[in-house]
Amino acid sequence: MIFLDVEFENFIKNFNYKDISKSEETQLRWKSGFQNLYLKSLKESNTNVDIMSDALSKFVKIMLKLDANNLISLIEPSTSIEVIKTQHVKKQPNLSQLNFLGVEKTIQYAQLIKRTDKFSKEDLFKNLTDLIKLTKALLKLSNSKSNNLQSKQESYLTFCQEESYPGYDWFLSTIFLMNNCDLESSFNFIYDFHFLQISSFLWSARLFGNESTLPNVYAKNGISILLPTICHYIELILKIELPLIFSAFRMSGLSPSQICSNWLKQCFWNYLDWPEIVTYISICIVYGVDFQAYFCVSILKHLNEKSNFENTSSVCCNQNIVQHHTNRDLQIYC
């Protein structure tokens, strides 16, 4: 494990953005080398979270170059972060009670997993609230530029356009903890990441209410893009690969999409341990958004083996699924 961490760290230290960004061939070679090393780390050990967060930041920068023609934000990548901080964050209203509760839970969790060594509780609270405000300003700026391209339509939730995602942003808290609760490095990552298409799926708040990017029926009704995409493919895979689990869901009247969409929106908080959450985020960024579907299917398969679904009656299976979902206690690795 120590050897692999050193190998990964040396690979990142040798990262020279100016040299790598000169040609697409060099970028693809670096990306392939990164993926191979990351796969090795998954097989052999758990790479240090600090090294992984630094590695992902550099990986995202390379992806910005490789996917330059497929960026989903209309903000110019050259737009200074300082412009957002000075001109737009001041316009953001105070945080809602829901966001304050989310911040408190995040800080409690950070203390539990020992990610708070560098900051006091007051500094953690300030850093995370500032990050939320900066991110809201960024998304509002990005979405407002998109929405201005077409006439604004009536929505069942006006604040979809006027304010922000009507829930707590668990992806943002995850990135905050991965970056050791540092405001600057967290927002730098979020700023780069929001340009990539994968952010639409991995980050639930990214496109919420964005009418120029989402189909009208989803934007107007506040429907998550996860339901008709990732969750749909999860059900297709279950139907073919794990028919007993799929049948149990059908007989219970509960859709796998209901459980998996909760997992994905919450980035598996309260369901997986911290190392597995980091693995989920990193593997989806490194290998692509389709790994969201594979990740959920793997967990359902694990639950199937753990609960011995094949050896119990259908009625019992149905009751277990509904009960776990109702109690929200589908904790996998605890």
Side-chain angles (χ1 to χ4, degrees), residues 47-273:
T47 301
N48 182 279
V49 174
D50 294 327
I51 296 175
M52 179 55 64
S53 61
D54 186 32
L56 288 178
S57 296
K58 292 175 171 59
F59 185 83
V60 167
K61 287 185 180 296
I62 291 298
M63 294 306 296
L64 282 175
K65 283 289 185 180
L66 289 173
D67 294 344
N69 297 324
N70 298 309
L71 304 183
I72 62 173
S73 175
L74 295 185
I75 300 176
E76 290 295 330
S78 58
T79 301
S80 172
I81 290 178
E82 294 302 320
V83 172
I84 296 174
K85 288 181 178 179
T86 56
Q87 295 184 12
H88 299 283
V89 76
K90 293 179 181 179
K91 302 177 183 179
Q92 293 299 310
N94 293 328
L95 297 185
S96 65
Q97 185 178 3
L98 177 64
N99 277 314
F100 276 120
L101 288 172
V103 170
E104 290 177 0
K105 289 297 180 184
T106 300
I107 293 174
Q108 289 176 10
Y109 190 51
Q111 292 171 332
L112 180 66
I113 61 174
K114 304 187 186 316
R115 302 291 294 172
T116 61
D117 297 340
K118 295 183 178 179
F119 302 100
S120 65
K121 187 173 181 179
E122 291 73 19
D123 289 336
L124 288 172
F125 186 85
K126 184 178 185 306
N127 284 352
L128 185 51
T129 52
D130 286 348
L131 178 62
I132 292 173
K133 290 180 180 180
L134 283 168
T135 304
K136 283 187 175 184
L138 173 65
L139 294 183
K140 188 172 183 179
L141 180 63
S142 176
N143 289 345
S144 64
K145 284 182 174 289
S146 300
N147 289 336
N148 285 340
L149 295 179
Q150 62 186 51
S151 60
K152 189 174 179 180
Q153 302 182 24
E154 289 297 322
S155 170
Y156 90 111
L157 287 176
T158 308
F159 60 80
C160 288
Q161 291 84 22
E162 294 181 351
E163 292 189 13
S164 59
Y165 180 64
Y168 187 72
D169 193 341
W170 294 106
F171 176 80
L172 196 60
S173 283
T174 305
I175 296 302
F176 180 69
L177 297 189
M178 286 179 64
N179 284 277
N180 220 17
C181 303
D182 181 74
L183 172 61
E184 184 174 356
S185 59
S186 298
F187 187 66
N188 286 343
F189 177 88
I190 287 294
Y191 180 80
D192 289 337
F193 185 67
H194 100 282
F195 288 101
L196 300 178
Q197 289 185 342
I198 188 176
S199 66
S200 307
F201 303 94
L202 201 56
W203 182 10
S204 295
R206 173 63 186 91
L207 289 183
F208 191 84
N210 189 320
E211 293 180 352
S212 69
T213 306
L214 296 177
N216 285 340
V217 66
Y218 301 125
K220 290 170 64 177
N221 295 287
I223 300 174
S224 171
I225 191 65
L226 291 172
L227 290 174
T229 54
I230 303 300
C231 293
H232 173 68
Y233 290 117
I234 289 171
E235 296 201 7
L236 286 179
I237 295 172
L238 283 177
K239 186 175 182 179
I240 297 171
E241 301 291 339
L242 299 168
L244 290 177
I245 297 179
F246 183 77
S247 297
F249 274 111
R250 289 290 298 271
M251 294 178 68
S252 70
L254 181 67
S255 167
S257 296
Q258 291 176 272
I259 291 178
C260 293
S261 63
N262 283 337
W263 283 346
L264 297 174
K265 287 177 184 178
Q266 295 177 206
C267 293
F268 293 95
W269 281 51
N270 196 42
Y271 297 113
L272 297 182
D273 291 339

Side-chain angles (χ1 to χ4, degrees), residues 15-30 61-62 65-66:
F15 174 90
N16 188 316
Y17 185 70
K18 291 183 179 179
D19 292 341
I20 293 176
S21 62
K22 288 180 181 178
S23 70
E24 183 175 346
E25 182 181 353
T26 307
Q27 295 162 11
L28 288 171
R29 189 166 59 250
W30 189 90
K61 287 185 180 296
I62 291 298
K65 283 289 185 180
L66 289 173

